[in-house]
């Protein structure tokens, strides 16, 4: 008799986006003429940069000839891409990395989900609340948590509330935690940590021999000076942090798939008897066993992001999204709403007016102005009373949505 991994039974259904779709479809059936604008999209909408397309076409042609054809590549990624990542994303910020500390992958989602495999099951994990669900669910699947309780929190996970009261910066936990997931600029709140605030976490990790799993998927959206792009800008972080980056939001690769994870050789964790081990070696072993690398064509496309034209083109696209972000921010503020994020991230996180719940505000926005966003409560209990709008729509739709809010929303 084949038994299942019963940890999977503890997972919550993917309720959030299914419930949004259900409510939108119901409304559309009842109001077939409504022109609905979606500002809940967590996906990019602009096409790949021309430099990327050109490099991928060239790589496809190489695959068509025996002399330049490539089969299995290095599981860790091709050197031509890794060297550009180090040169452009790290060396420019004074961070030295060796090529064997960077692992190219098919996504920060897969890497942030898979990384927990190289850690012991007895580790206590800490996540911010609200949170990107992958960090929690991958640990539930592995059996590192208990069951979910009535407040929507899993037992054995330490939740770090991020609300307006603490300016969306998590406070250090009172109990000891071993693996800490941090994502800044944050999805969903759009908020950041300053270097000083991030240093507190690095110091905590050093003191407690914990590991920080730092998701920096939105670093390309940072506009302010004091906001760290990489956790390795903080002294000592190379001993305690693994960093996840992705071409998804930076360069429109959500459907193309390319990301990378940095595991410095200094990062160590322990056996139960206290023996030290490099996480770099464990992750390398995990990847070489279970992953066969990102396609050559895609890695050539990613490498083209670092050409002069590539950099200019992706910057223009990010500027376009960030212009939408300010349209949303300014518009909501002029309505007297309390607004967070949207300065260093493509997400705007607003406090619902009149103490409406996240879902009550969702329905109100849908019915009164035909605009769809994402209820904050869907990202965790501390997201209740908040609402997420994203900057990934078109400028026209974003402007139209804000115009409708200004003229028709009853607040
Ligand atoms: C979009 C996103 C990513 C990127 O994931 P990919 O698998 O690389 O597309 C990573 N982390 C967060 C928090 C995100 O929102």
């Amino acid at each position: 008799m084949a038994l299942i991994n019963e940890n999977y039974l503890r997972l919550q259904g993917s309720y959030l986006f299914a419930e949004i779709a259900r409510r939108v479809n119901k409304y559309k059936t009842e109001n077939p003429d409504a022109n609905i604008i979606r500002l809940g999209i967590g996906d990019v909408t602009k096409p790949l940069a021309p430099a990327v397309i050109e490099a991928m076409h060239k790589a496809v042609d190489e695959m068509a000839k025996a002399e330049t054809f490539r089969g299995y590549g290095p599981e860790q990624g091709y050197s031509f891409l890794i060297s550009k990542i180090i040169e452009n994303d790290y060396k420019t910020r004074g961070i030295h990395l060796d090529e064997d500390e960077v692992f190219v992958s098919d996504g920060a989602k897969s890497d942030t989900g898979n990384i927990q495999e190289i850690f012991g099951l007895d580790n206590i994990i800490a996540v911010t609340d609200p949170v990107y669900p992958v960090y929690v669910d991958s640990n539930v699947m592995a059996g590192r948590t208990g069951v979910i309780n009535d407040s929507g929190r899993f037992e054995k996970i330490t939740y770090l509330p991020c609300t307006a009261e603490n300016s969306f910066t998590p406070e250090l936990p009172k109990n000891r935690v071993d693996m800490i997931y941090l994502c800044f600029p944050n999805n969903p709140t759009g908020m950041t940590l300053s270097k000083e605030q991030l240093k507190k976490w690095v110091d905590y990790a050093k003191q407690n021999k914990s590991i920080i799993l730092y998701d920096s998927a939105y670093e390309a959206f940072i506009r302010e000076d004091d906001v760290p792009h990489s956790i390795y800008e903080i002294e000592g972080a190379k001993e305690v942090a693994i960093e996840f980056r992705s071409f998804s939001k930076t360069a429109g690769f959500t459907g193309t798939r390319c990301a990378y994870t940095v595991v410095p050789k200094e990062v160590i964790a322990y056996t139960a008897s206290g023996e030290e081990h490099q996480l770099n070696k464990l992750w390398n072993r995990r990847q070489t066993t279970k992953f066969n690398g990102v396609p050559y064509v895609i890695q050539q496309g990613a490498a083209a992001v670092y050409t002069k034209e590539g950099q200019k083109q992706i910057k223009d696209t990010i500027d376009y999204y960030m212009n939408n972000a300010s349209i949303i921010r300014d518009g909501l503020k002029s309505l007297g709403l309390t607004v967070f994020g949207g300065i260093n991230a493509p997400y705007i996180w607003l406090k619902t007016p009149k103490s409406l719940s996240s879902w009550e505000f969702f329905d109100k926005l849908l019915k009164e102005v035909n605009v769809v966003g994402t209820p904050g409560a869907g990202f965790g209990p501390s997201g209740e009373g908040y609402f997420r709008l994203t900057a990934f729509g078109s400028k026209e739709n974003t402007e139209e949505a804000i115009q409708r809010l200004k003229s028709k929303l009853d607040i």
Side-chain angles (χ1 to χ4, degrees):
M1 180 172 73
L3 302 178
I4 61 159
N5 175 352
E6 292 186 28
N7 297 319
Y8 276 64
L9 303 178
R10 296 180 171 175
L11 294 164
Q12 295 296 95
S14 49
Y15 159 85
L16 177 61
F17 291 98
E19 180 61 18
I20 290 173
R22 191 190 69 77
R23 292 192 192 203
V24 173
N25 287 336
K26 179 166 179 285
Y27 184 81
K28 263 171 53 183
T29 312
E30 290 161 7
N31 303 275
D33 295 333
N35 169 15
I36 291 173
I37 297 180
R38 291 174 191 274
L39 289 188
I41 333 166
D43 191 1
V44 297
T45 52
K46 290 271 188 193
L48 289 169
V52 170
I53 293 296
E54 198 185 312
M56 283 170 49
H57 279 164
K58 197 166 150 268
V60 168
D61 288 339
E62 285 179 43
M63 295 299 263
K65 296 187 208 89
E67 310 82 69
T68 46
F69 168 79
R70 313 246 176 167
Y72 290 128
E75 289 95 343
Q76 302 86 346
Y78 285 103
S79 178
F80 67 76
L81 175 57
I82 295 176
S83 58
K84 287 200 174 66
I85 289 170
I86 294 175
E87 194 68 28
N88 291 275
D89 293 346
Y90 291 97
K91 214 169 160 196
T92 49
R93 300 189 187 281
I95 300 158
H96 171 86
L97 291 175
D98 290 338
E99 288 203 8
D100 58 0
E101 294 178 308
V102 178
F103 297 83
V104 174
S105 78
D106 64 351
K109 179 178 183 175
S110 6
D111 286 356
T112 53
N114 291 331
I115 197 76
Q116 47 75 30
E117 272 186 38
I118 65 170
F119 291 90
L121 285 180
D122 292 335
N123 286 340
I124 301 291
I125 73 158
V127 295
T128 57
D129 171 21
V131 71
Y132 180 60
V134 176
Y135 316 146
V136 172
D137 288 357
S138 56
N139 280 288
V140 174
M141 289 169 173
R144 210 170 273 109
T145 72
V147 296
I148 198 162
N149 62 26
D150 293 342
S151 67
R153 296 180 174 91
F154 282 95
E155 278 158 20
K156 293 212 270 187
I157 292 185
T158 297
Y159 289 85
L160 310 165
C162 291
T163 60
E165 284 67 44
N166 61 11
S167 308
F168 303 91
T169 57
E171 275 143 46
L172 295 176
K174 299 204 172 50
N175 56 306
R176 204 200 77 231
V177 298
D178 308 299
M179 295 157 60
I180 303 154
Y181 289 85
L182 295 178
C183 171
F184 290 98
N186 188 264
N187 176 14
T189 68
M191 297 293 273
T192 56
L193 290 188
S194 67
K195 284 185 185 157
E196 197 186 321
Q197 287 163 335
L198 188 53
K199 184 171 185 307
K200 282 189 198 159
W201 283 95
V202 170
D203 292 344
Y204 173 92
K206 287 176 83 170
Q207 275 155 23
N208 293 280
K209 299 188 166 159
S210 322
I211 297 292
I212 298 174
L213 302 161
Y214 196 72
D215 186 342
S216 147
Y218 294 96
E219 67 79 29
F221 293 82
I222 293 172
R223 288 292 190 272
E224 292 179 319
D225 281 343
D226 187 43
V227 180
H229 289 249
S230 164
I231 193 168
Y232 305 120
E233 289 174 49
I234 312 301
E235 204 195 313
K238 265 178 144 189
E239 293 157 44
V240 292
I242 291 175
E243 178 161 285
F244 305 91
R245 290 265 184 111
S246 175
F247 293 96
S248 282
K249 317 296 161 44
T250 306
F253 272 57
T254 51
T256 307
R257 311 306 306 146
C258 196
Y260 61 88
T261 290
V262 179
V263 191
K265 282 174 271 190
E266 290 98 312
V267 189
I268 52 160
Y270 304 84
T271 62
S273 60
E275 219 175 75
E276 299 188 347
H277 285 271
Q278 287 185 349
L279 291 180
N280 178 284
K281 283 202 180 131
L282 268 62
W283 184 242
N284 189 54
R285 190 71 175 80
R286 193 268 169 209
Q287 289 297 81
T288 50
T289 301
K290 296 195 181 181
F291 184 59
N292 249 334
V294 174
Y296 174 71
V297 174
I298 305 298
Q299 290 192 59
Q300 283 292 3
V305 164
Y306 296 108
T307 59
K308 204 163 158 249
E309 315 81 72
Q311 287 288 294
K312 162 95 179 63
Q313 291 159 1
I314 66 160
K315 185 181 173 296
D316 287 349
T317 301
I318 291 174
D319 285 348
Y320 177 91
Y321 294 138
M322 289 312 283
N323 183 53
N324 288 344
S326 26
I327 293 170
I328 298 172
R329 254 185 82 85
D330 296 347
L332 297 178
K333 279 188 151 179
S334 75
L335 283 167
L337 289 165
T338 309
V339 184
F340 306 94
I343 294 173
N344 298 296
Y347 297 118
I348 290 89
W349 190 244
L350 65 106
K351 183 99 199 77
T352 59
K354 296 179 182 159
S355 304
L356 292 175
S357 75
S358 296
W359 280 108
E360 283 167 348
F361 189 71
F362 175 92
D363 288 333
K364 181 179 173 69
L365 218 53
L366 177 61
K367 282 168 194 157
E368 289 179 16
V369 291
N370 300 343
V371 170
V372 177
T374 316
F379 298 99
S382 297
E384 181 55 276
Y386 293 93
F387 198 79
R388 190 188 77 173
L389 294 175
T390 82
F392 289 129
S394 69
K395 179 169 185 251
E396 295 69 33
N397 278 349
T398 305
E399 280 173 338
E400 162 79 15
I402 294 302
Q403 209 43 55
R404 285 189 203 167
L405 259 79
K406 283 182 177 170
S407 57
K408 289 195 269 179
L409 191 70
D410 174 29
I411 49 171

